[in-house]
Amino acid sequence: MKKHKSTLLFVVLGILLFTSTYNGLTVRTYDVTSDKLSADESLRIVLLSDLHSASYGYKQSILIDQVRAQKPDLIALPGDLLDRYRSPEPAFELIEGLEGIAPMYFVTGNHEIDGSDDYVRHDVKDVFRSYGVNVLEDEWETVTINGIDLVIGGLEDPLRGFRENIYTDWDAESTAAMQDIAPDETFKVLLSHRAEQVDTYAKLPFDLVLSGHAHGGQVRIPYLMNGLFAPDQGFFPEYAGGLYEHETFTHVIGRGFNYSFNIPRIYNPPEIVVIDVNGQR
């Protein structure tokens, strides 16, 4: 009897270890409603953040196939597709493979700003543009996607300004960059890498903000703890990953794709985020 109990214990522990460290791609879907869209209008956004030059199959085929299967209308790339310590090639392969699936929009994360010598040999933004990516640099544009008029804005990572002037005011610069957006009934989407800059986003006229950077808090305990530690938030981050409803906007934070045996992801698998925006007017 004692031997059977020990065997059962090892089986249970093995299952827990496997499920907690599972690093297979996960598709996570969020539903967002807006009275700026009519009831027969919808928009599907795929959010891919914090790849950190990780690889998923030959030339990212696994990741690309899963994104294609979601049939997105828009692909949002809010930074850190590259990693300062790794080759940029996996990020370039991803962008190349995504070309033609849906319009792509990208803003820098801190790793695109603070790059290695490999980055110097490539103008990262120009490489992205060569594959049809719309690179937003503290700017916005009006577009029509799936028959819906949209405003899509993008903020560069704060590190860009700090590298030029340590006294820069990212909050003020971001507000100034978006001040000419008309407060009309057009649905507005903002890409900005930093999950924690909620106070700045609240000042801007956007309905949906898409971010990354927090890596899902690295360690999660379902239903108990959404994240243990996140960059620039520290322990028990408030904005680790998921959907957050604020007074004036909805904030979706991707948990990213980076994985490492040195810093494992616990109950925090790499995720493709799908956001279905549906009208209710």
Side-chain angles (χ1 to χ4, degrees), residues 9-39:
L9 177 62
F10 280 117
V11 170
V12 171
L13 289 175
I15 292 172
L16 288 174
L17 180 63
F18 174 77
T19 57
S20 66
T21 59
Y22 174 70
N23 276 323
L25 283 174
T26 298
V27 177
R28 196 179 304 273
T29 302
Y30 300 108
D31 292 315
V32 174
T33 58
S34 174
D35 58 10
K36 291 187 175 182
L37 277 63
S38 63

Side-chain angles (χ1 to χ4, degrees), residues 8 33 55 61 101 150-152 201 214 256 260 278:
L8 179 61
T33 58
S55 294
S61 58
I101 294 177
L150 303 170
V151 169
I152 302 180
Y201 305 147
S260 169
N278 295 292

